[in-house]
């Protein structure tokens, strides 16, 4: 459902600075400090990135937290289709990731976890019956935290459906 040529919005928090209030919420509006980018995003490591992220330095504790948002649209027929065959969310991250769809937490890796990025670090089933998906606009919010002194950071996300569906009524991405 989501391809690499779609534009996400991302925001970088240096050190232990606070995240924008309500950034995971569906109604949050990204201001000009949120930049556009295409996945995969990151720096260093063994991946080729479509969008470069700011590297963690030695100042401000040397850590970085990256926030990502993407909104897509589902029609009533899409949601009915997913009731019988769920979507699968694939996440690649370095160091750790937390993922929400429409403010519902779907993935929360343990604080302090430090792993390298591999395709795919996490695979999560997203059933229509979970309440995470809705007709109309759906917002994916992702937080990737990278520890001080890290030589690389990475993020990629794919939302897949293995069945056949006819797109009706909605455009992907949401407009």
């Amino acid at each position: 459902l989501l391809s690499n040529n779609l534009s996400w919005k991302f925001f970088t928090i240096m050190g232990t600075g606070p995240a924008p209030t309500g950034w995971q919420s569906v109604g949050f509006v990204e201001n000009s400090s949120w930049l556009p980018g295409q996945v995969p995003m990151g720096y260093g490591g063994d991946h080729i990135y479509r969008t470069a992220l700011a590297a963690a330095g030695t100042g401000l504790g040397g850590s970085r937290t990256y926030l990502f948002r993407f909104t897509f649209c589902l029609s009533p027929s899409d949601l009915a289709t997913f009731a019988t065959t769920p979507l699968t969310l694939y996440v690649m991250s370095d160091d750790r990731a937390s993922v929400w769809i429409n403010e519902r937490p779907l993935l929360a890796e343990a604080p302090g976890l430090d792993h390298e990025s591999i395709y795919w670090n996490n695979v999560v089933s997203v059933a229509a019956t979970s309440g995470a998906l809705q007709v109309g606009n759906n917002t994916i919010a992702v937080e990737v935290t990278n520890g001080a002194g890290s030589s690389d950071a990475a993020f990629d996300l794919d939302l897949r459906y293995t069945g056949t569906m006819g797109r009706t009524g909605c455009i992907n991405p949401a407009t």
Side-chain angles (χ1 to χ4, degrees):
L1 290 177
L2 304 181
S3 65
N4 285 346
N5 62 351
L6 300 174
S7 186
W8 287 70
K9 292 287 191 164
F10 72 98
F11 182 85
T12 304
I13 301 171
M14 295 181 250
T16 58
T21 302
W23 75 272
Q24 300 107 322
S25 69
V26 174
F28 181 82
V29 177
E30 301 95 356
N31 63 27
S32 62
S33 61
W34 287 75
L35 303 175
Q38 296 174 328
V39 293
M41 298 187 206
Y43 69 87
D46 298 327
H47 302 289
I48 297 172
Y49 302 108
R50 293 181 70 134
T51 303
L53 296 176
T58 55
L60 298 171
S63 64
R64 295 279 191 274
T65 297
Y66 306 95
L67 308 179
F68 305 92
R69 289 176 51 86
F70 183 80
T71 299
F72 63 101
C73 186
L74 294 175
S75 71
S77 63
D78 293 338
L79 204 59
T81 300
F82 303 146
T84 56
T85 305
L87 297 170
T88 305
L89 179 72
Y90 293 84
V91 181
M92 183 269 289
S93 65
D94 178 351
D95 289 342
R96 68 178 184 88
S98 296
V99 180
W100 298 262
I101 294 183
N102 298 328
E103 304 173 40
R104 290 185 181 265
L106 295 179
L107 171 67
E109 292 186 303
L113 181 66
D114 180 2
H115 58 67
E116 293 304 310
S117 56
I118 58 169
Y119 280 94
W120 296 95
N121 296 74
N122 292 284
V123 178
V124 179
S125 179
V126 184
T129 56
S130 70
L133 300 170
Q134 62 190 18
V135 171
N137 287 344
N138 291 266
T139 299
I140 299 175
V142 180
E143 176 183 350
V144 174
T145 302
N146 202 13
S150 181
S151 62
D152 58 354
F155 165 67
D156 199 351
L157 184 142
D158 197 1
L159 187 60
R160 297 181 191 171
Y161 175 66
T162 57
T164 303
M165 63 185 241
R167 300 295 306 185
T168 58
C170 281
I171 303 169
N172 184 11
T175 54

